[in-house]
Amino acid sequence: MTRKAAVHVRRVYEEPAQDDGTRVLVDRVWPRGLTKEKAGLDEWCKEIAPSTELRKWYSHDPQRFEEFGRRYRSELKEPERAQALGRLKETAKDGALTLLTATKEPEISQAQVLADLLGG
């Protein structure tokens, strides 16, 4: 029986939690006003972020989240993103993984799509 990975989604601006495990920022752009020290990251995986075109089209419109997720999952099949997703899958096997994003609504972000894919 395989153990289900603990995958969390949090805002990068929140204080790190004790159960975070490995903390990975999954945004393409560095969060405004945040120092690397304050972020407390283990990795910045910007290559897994959605394309600029998809991000601009989506614009965090809750009505578009389902379609955004479908399009983003399609983008994750591209070689560079697929390789990054594979690395995140390996990280999740080793213990807790927290996907971080700067968005105000992480539950409708690429981090949530990734967490769902990774078993969170």
Side-chain angles (χ1 to χ4, degrees), residues 1 6 18 35 51 54 65 77 82 97 105:
M1 187 171 125
Q18 205 158 356
T35 64
S51 66
L54 180 56
F65 181 64
K77 294 174 183 162
L97 171 64
E105 298 178 278

Side-chain angles (χ1 to χ4, degrees), residues 14 34 49 55 59 77 86-87 107 109 116:
E14 295 173 14
L34 192 67
R55 201 169 37 83
S59 191
K77 294 174 183 162
R87 283 198 322 271
E107 65 280 358
S109 71
D116 293 343

Side-chain angles (χ1 to χ4, degrees), residues 26 28 45-51 54 68-89 99 109-118:
V26 293
R28 182 170 307 284
C45 188
K46 57 185 158 193
E47 62 273 10
I48 202 157
S51 66
L54 180 56
F68 166 77
R70 191 189 67 70
R71 293 183 187 189
Y72 181 44
R73 284 188 294 278
S74 180
E75 284 189 353
L76 288 169
K77 294 174 183 162
E78 296 166 8
E80 186 180 36
R81 287 186 182 93
Q83 187 177 15
L85 182 60
R87 283 198 322 271
L88 288 178
K89 283 180 181 174
L99 303 174
S109 71
Q110 75 271 11
Q112 186 61 58
V113 174
L114 289 168
D116 293 343
L117 283 171
L118 295 168

Side-chain angles (χ1 to χ4, degrees), residues 5-83:
V7 181
H8 310 284
V9 174
R10 294 208 172 92
R11 290 194 74 217
V12 70
Y13 297 106
E14 295 173 14
E15 287 294 318
Q18 205 158 356
D19 65 343
D20 276 355
T22 303
R23 293 171 49 87
V24 181
L25 177 65
V26 293
D27 290 351
R28 182 170 307 284
V29 179
W30 185 260
R32 191 173 298 172
L34 192 67
T35 64
K36 290 201 189 308
E37 295 74 37
K38 182 92 173 112
L41 300 180
D42 293 297
E43 183 183 349
W44 180 16
C45 188
K46 57 185 158 193
E47 62 273 10
I48 202 157
S51 66
T52 301
E53 298 76 27
L54 180 56
R55 201 169 37 83
K56 286 181 176 177
W57 170 83
Y58 175 43
S59 191
H60 284 280
D61 178 347
Q63 301 292 318
R64 291 184 171 180
F65 181 64
E66 193 174 323
E67 178 63 14
F68 166 77
R70 191 189 67 70
R71 293 183 187 189
Y72 181 44
R73 284 188 294 278
S74 180
E75 284 189 353
L76 288 169
K77 294 174 183 162
E78 296 166 8
E80 186 180 36
R81 287 186 182 93
Q83 187 177 15

